[in-house]
Amino acid sequence: MTENEIRNNLARNIKTFRTIQHISQADLAERAEISIPFLSQIECANKFPSPAILAKISDALDTSVSDLFAAREKVNSENHKFMINAIKAILEGQVKSFENFCENYFEK
């Protein structure tokens, strides 16, 4: 893995953990005791934080430093199609169950 790939993984993962947890850059920066511009530069892969800053960011995101560097698994198109079809089937089943419920409930 190249240095550029490591920076990009770190940048992407910090932003992903932050957005999943509905934390703004300002909130994360405050929790990690860094400036908002510095966090922005990290998330853009323009700056690389020190180990101490990485520890503060991982603590603020309630994750490990190693999770911040994890590479994302590539999803091939067949897996993608399978997942979409599975979700469609689940949703169709839920709609059918809801229709049956409504028919039984309102007819009585």
Side-chain angles (χ1 to χ4, degrees):
M1 186 176 285
T2 67
E3 181 180 344
N4 196 34
E5 290 171 329
I6 293 169
R7 279 181 191 247
N8 288 332
N9 284 341
L10 176 66
R12 183 196 60 240
N13 290 340
I14 289 173
K15 186 173 184 177
T16 299
F17 279 110
R18 181 177 61 74
T19 54
I20 286 172
Q21 296 177 36
H22 305 288
I23 301 171
S24 68
Q25 275 190 337
D27 288 340
L28 179 56
E30 183 179 331
R31 292 178 191 184
E33 300 173 343
I34 59 175
S35 70
I36 298 167
F38 184 51
L39 177 59
S40 178
Q41 290 292 309
I42 294 169
E43 285 189 358
C44 291
N46 294 329
K47 297 281 184 180
F48 196 81
S50 69
I53 298 297
L54 281 170
K56 288 181 178 184
I57 292 171
S58 69
D59 286 346
L61 292 172
D62 196 29
T63 192
S64 67
V65 172
S66 63
D67 285 343
L68 295 180
F69 285 100
R72 234 187 236 175
E73 181 182 315
K74 300 283 185 197
V75 177
N76 68 36
S77 62
E78 287 305 309
N79 287 343
H80 184 257
K81 289 175 189 173
F82 173 79
M83 289 185 285
I84 289 174
N85 289 332
I87 291 169
K88 283 181 183 177
I90 290 167
L91 292 175
E92 287 171 3
Q94 289 177 335
V95 168
K96 223 176 238 320
S97 294
F98 184 70
E99 287 172 346
N100 290 338
F101 168 80
C102 289
E103 287 172 7
N104 293 327
Y105 181 79
F106 291 111
E107 286 182 1
K108 291 183 178 184

